[in-house]
Amino acid sequence: MGDFFGLAVRPVGERTRPADRNRGQSPRVRLQRRRGGCRAQWWSGVDSDFGVWVGRIESYLGLPLDFACYVEIDNTGGASDLVLQSANASEGSFVVGPPTWIPQGMVARLVLRDPKPSIHGSDGTIRYGYSNADLTMQAVTLHFECPTGILSNKATSSQAARVTWAKSTNPKCTWSTRVPSGGHPLFVGHVIGGGQPH
């Protein structure tokens, strides 16, 4: 794991003092004892507000993610687990996720970062398989795009019954079923089983 834990915790406000280094105990060891399970919660973001999670990811990566796509997949109301079948970043790269498995009753998040430096924004597609209540295997394909220039943002689902929620610029804005044509970055919410993202 190396310095993974220290890197994950520092962006959430925990700073070490120079004097800590002179006490014969690593600040990282002390931090790990105080923070226990912080590592897993920070990456998944499930225990935090979406806007807070976005801020932590931007801070950790150290880059302005102006043309990135932040995607939340809420499977709390789904009939089964979701299993990743494919993920394609035609522009940019996945810097968080997509998770290979989203258990029933859980929420997962991913970030598709735009390539830097580049004139392109981010553009990606993921496909998850799942089982209906009658055990019929199905799949849903989710597409999201935050382009640069005059092109419009896009967020779609291959299943019309699956409502796509979106917002842009500020993660604390209200979710809408209309994808905003402009504004960056793009925030997308997919709620399996209906409802609105948190």
Side-chain angles (χ1 to χ4, degrees):
M1 293 287 280
D3 253 350
F4 172 79
F5 186 77
L7 291 174
V9 171
R10 283 190 188 185
V12 296
E14 187 71 36
R15 301 263 188 232
T16 58
R17 296 179 309 235
D20 288 340
R21 293 189 185 98
N22 299 329
R23 293 191 183 145
Q25 185 182 37
S26 158
R28 188 176 54 188
V29 171
R30 249 188 335 278
L31 202 61
Q32 193 162 10
R33 286 185 190 147
R34 286 195 309 248
R35 292 291 188 166
C38 184
R39 164 183 37 213
Q41 292 174 0
W42 185 83
W43 279 114
S44 68
V46 174
D47 289 341
S48 67
D49 172 74
F50 185 71
V52 171
W53 179 80
V54 167
R56 289 177 184 167
I57 292 292
E58 285 182 338
S59 176
Y60 174 74
L61 294 174
L63 293 171
L65 301 176
D66 296 338
F67 297 96
C69 293
Y70 291 82
V71 181
E72 179 175 273
I73 303 167
D74 184 337
N75 195 26
T76 55
S80 74
D81 295 356
L82 300 174
V83 179
L84 184 67
Q85 294 180 339
S86 65
N88 178 41
S90 53
E91 294 294 341
S93 59
F94 291 104
V95 292
V96 174
T100 56
W101 173 54
I102 306 172
Q104 181 184 16
M106 300 296 289
V107 173
R109 295 174 178 154
L110 62 101
V111 178
L112 175 62
R113 180 176 64 193
D114 56 301
K116 299 212 186 282
S118 174
I119 59 168
H120 303 287
S122 55
D123 185 350
T125 303
I126 55 176
R127 181 179 173 90
Y128 279 95
Y130 64 95
S131 172
N132 275 342
D134 65 358
L135 301 180
T136 304
M137 292 305 295
Q138 300 287 322
V140 60
T141 302
L142 310 174
H143 177 254
F144 31 89
E145 183 177 353
C146 185
T148 61
I150 61 170
L151 300 175
S152 296
N153 294 327
K154 294 178 186 165
T156 60
S157 169
S158 63
Q159 297 179 0
R162 308 262 185 208
V163 177
T164 300
W165 297 85
K167 54 187 170 180
S168 64
T169 310
N170 184 347
K172 295 185 180 194
C173 287
T174 304
W175 289 101
S176 172
T177 55
R178 264 188 87 180
V179 178
S181 60
H184 310 285
L186 178 64
F187 306 102
V188 180
H190 292 284
V191 182
I192 309 302
Q196 183 175 347
H198 303 300

